[in-house]
Amino acid sequence: MNPAGSEATATMNPPASSPHVVVVGAGLAGLAAGVAAADGGARVTVYERAPRLGGATWSFERNGRWFDNGQHVFMRCCTAYRRFLDRVGVADQVVQQRRLSVPVVRPGRRPARISRIAAPAPLHLALSLLRYRPLAAGKRLRAMGTALALRRLDPDHPDTDRITFGRWLRDRGESDRSIAGLWDLICLPTVNLRADDASLSLAVKVFRTGLLDDATGADLGWTRVPLAALHGDAAVRCITERGGTVRLHTHVDAVGPGPSVRVDGELIDPDAVILAVPHDAVDALLPPGTVAHQEGLVGLGVSPIVNVQLVFDRPIMDVPFAAALDSPVQFVFDRTEAAHWPAGSAASAGSPPHGKITAGGSSEAHPPGEQVVAVSQSAAFDEIGDRPAELIERCRAALVDLFPRAAEAEVVDAVVTREHRATFAGRPGTRRLRPAATTATDGLFVAGTWTDTGWPATMESAVRSGNEAARLALAHCRTAKARSSSPERERLGA
């Protein structure tokens, strides 16, 4: 595929009467907004200051292999995200489990498994919990009672955002072992915080929507191709086919009344603007008081993610992914298929981050038996500042403990990516800080995982926010057009 460069332009000319919608930010929320606005008949222009698309979901090429900046999975309950994949024509590039099944590996122990059976919720998980070896029998029974109590909670009730998930679990009698060995396996990768830090509100949303309300909700899915191809390239194709434009390396200086946008010093007056940037970048771009709780958005905080990707000269794991317990690593994924995506084919890819090559990786052809393994560490506050060599060696040693075949394998390449500001930190009290998509400026809307979607900072939240912002922007444009063409305005010469 051809590099996106600084601009991807229209393949068809939209009608001159079409409203002009500007999207600031080309992360997943901005791309979803751009696609939805273009589908609604708008002339869309997307501005992105970075050299790549995708925001928190980007890819890079290194030594002829493709790496994502982090492992991203989705659940069957992520309906908006799955519709987005359908719309941009890449649904065949993802894998979706027929039934939830998560291997849980521990050093020197037989693997356990969290899985569902063909039964209605919440009975679909009962057998798996009763057989879950990492917890003692009494703790398994208690966990079943806790799950039923969790199902009765309302994630939108104000009280659920006042305490941590961990405190609620302990009040129910859950032990440290149960929290670490079961509840954090779901809370940590979805909320990007451990239960002891995460808002109960967000935890209830994840567990109820994903695991407890619908038996099929938690069936997992993941991409078979680099995220740059899955999200960025596919979305740009849809936007440009509808007459839109996507510009990278473009700095938006400010967004103001009108709405107006100052781009590289030039003032632009579109019909509507969708601001889809990280929450801690909003205040610097807008006049004070434009977004609800604007000055307090910094209070949402940030939670980091670290990913270590190792290329082994032979397979070390025979499952597509696994959760790890009693180990310094959290989740491990086999990313071999995506890594061997045709070289030079991801248009929106960026430059590789700093890492370490432990041996010479080939940029031409790779041994057919090699395996690319990604270790994903959520809420990585203690690891974000470690040197790449330390992270790589720590993960390699942990993988040897979890997958004994790794002891005989050689690491031929390795790379570390760090997302210091991967997500907002969904701690108690953050729900009230998350604004709606509307703002005090007529025609200006905001999108991002940090807006009030009710979801944690996930791909589902990003797409939902982009869709909502686009819906409101299109409605604004229709209303403004109707007002400008009304008989009263024509009579008055308005």
Side-chain angles (χ1 to χ4, degrees):
M1 298 180 339
N2 296 322
S6 60
E7 184 169 347
T9 56
T11 57
M12 57 175 277
N13 292 321
S17 59
S18 299
H20 183 202
V21 175
V22 162
V23 180
V24 182
L28 184 54
L31 293 173
V35 170
D39 284 348
R43 290 181 294 116
V44 174
T45 303
V46 180
Y47 296 115
E48 171 58 55
R49 66 183 303 173
R52 58 179 178 262
L53 303 168
T57 63
W58 57 279
S59 309
F60 59 93
E61 187 178 9
R62 171 190 171 100
N63 292 333
R65 302 179 186 90
W66 284 103
F67 299 96
D68 293 329
N69 69 317
Q71 178 60 44
H72 298 265
V73 299
F74 60 94
M75 297 185 288
R76 197 178 296 278
C77 64
C78 296
T79 53
Y81 177 71
R82 291 168 54 223
R83 284 195 296 268
F84 172 78
L85 297 181
D86 284 333
R87 168 60 191 93
V88 300
V90 294
D92 62 335
Q93 300 299 316
V94 300
V95 177
Q96 181 82 60
Q97 289 183 324
R98 188 175 65 88
R99 288 183 186 171
L100 172 70
S101 182
V102 180
V104 181
V105 294
R106 295 175 290 167
R109 307 295 294 272
R110 290 175 55 197
R113 191 171 293 273
I114 298 174
S115 59
R116 72 173 178 90
I117 61 173
L123 296 177
H124 64 303
L125 296 173
L127 185 61
S128 179
L129 284 176
L130 288 173
R131 293 177 174 176
Y132 190 59
R133 287 188 298 271
L135 300 185
K139 290 182 171 58
R140 299 175 206 170
L141 292 173
R142 183 175 294 278
M144 293 179 65
T146 298
L148 293 175
L150 196 60
R151 195 180 188 217
R152 294 192 292 267
L153 295 180
D154 178 4
D156 296 322
H157 194 285
D159 287 347
T160 63
D161 194 39
R162 292 180 180 146
I163 64 170
T164 67
F165 183 37
R167 176 180 170 183
W168 182 85
L169 289 172
R170 287 189 169 81
D171 288 346
R172 293 278 317 168
E174 294 290 328
S175 66
D176 289 347
R177 177 59 181 175
S178 295
I179 293 173
L182 178 62
W183 303 105
D184 265 343
L185 289 184
I186 292 93
C187 183
L188 190 54
T190 54
V191 184
N192 199 22
L193 287 174
R194 296 189 181 277
D196 283 334
D197 298 314
S199 166
L200 176 59
S201 174
L202 291 177
V204 172
K205 176 62 179 177
V206 168
F207 279 88
R208 282 199 54 179
T209 304
L211 287 157
L212 300 173
D213 287 349
D214 185 330
T216 68
D219 300 342
L220 294 177
W222 58 91
T223 179
R224 298 171 45 239
V225 303
L227 288 168
L230 190 75
H231 296 161
D233 296 346
V236 168
R237 187 164 53 246
C238 291
I239 292 169
T240 56
E241 285 174 352
R242 291 283 187 173
T245 302
V246 179
R247 291 179 54 186
L248 304 180
H249 298 280
T250 304
H251 185 72
V252 173
D253 306 300
V255 179
S260 61
V261 182
R262 192 166 67 242
V263 183
D264 291 331
E266 177 186 359
L267 191 64
I268 298 173
D269 294 308
D271 297 288
V273 175
I274 298 172
L275 185 63
V277 299
H279 67 277
D280 50 3
V282 170
D283 194 40
L285 290 172
L286 298 177
T290 304
V291 174
H293 310 294
Q294 182 172 319
E295 294 182 356
L297 288 178
V298 66
L300 287 172
V302 294
S303 185
I305 295 176
V306 169
N307 288 273
V308 181
Q309 312 207 43
L310 303 100
V311 182
F312 289 93
D313 65 350
R314 67 195 73 182
I316 68 163
M317 56 187 292
D318 56 8
V319 291
F321 68 95
L325 286 182
D326 307 325
S327 170
V329 303
Q330 298 170 12
F331 274 83
V332 186
F333 299 86
D334 178 2
R335 299 301 297 145
T336 308
E337 184 179 9
H340 293 164
W341 189 247
S345 64
S348 56
S351 301
H354 177 67
K356 175 186 177 183
I357 303 177
T358 56
S362 169
S363 61
E364 298 297 329
H366 308 115
E370 75 174 24
Q371 187 173 51
V372 180
V373 174
V375 175
S376 182
Q377 303 290 95
S378 299
F381 296 98
D382 295 333
E383 300 163 288
I384 194 72
D386 290 348
R387 294 186 300 113
E390 295 173 351
L391 291 165
I392 291 167
E393 178 54 30
R394 187 184 307 144
C395 289
R396 187 203 64 79
L399 291 176
V400 169
D401 289 338
L402 296 170
F403 305 100
R405 281 185 289 174
E408 303 299 323
E410 179 185 358
V411 177
V412 299
D413 198 4
V415 63
V416 173
T417 62
R418 298 180 178 90
E419 293 291 337
H420 291 263
R421 317 173 82 76
T423 69
F424 73 87
R427 296 187 173 93
T430 54
R431 179 69 183 267
R432 64 177 181 81
L433 296 176
R434 299 175 69 180
T438 54
T439 73
T441 295
D442 197 27
L444 170 63
F445 309 93
V446 292
T449 61
W450 49 273
T451 60
D452 189 16
T453 66
W455 286 72
T458 58
M459 296 188 296
E460 175 72 4
S461 183
V463 174
R464 283 177 178 265
S465 73
N467 289 346
E468 175 66 3
R471 183 187 69 80
L472 292 169
L474 292 169
H476 164 79
C477 292
R478 287 192 295 268
T479 300
K481 183 177 180 179
R483 288 174 179 169
S484 66
S485 60
S486 67
E488 180 67 14
R489 290 183 63 86
E490 291 176 2
R491 184 178 63 82
L492 294 174

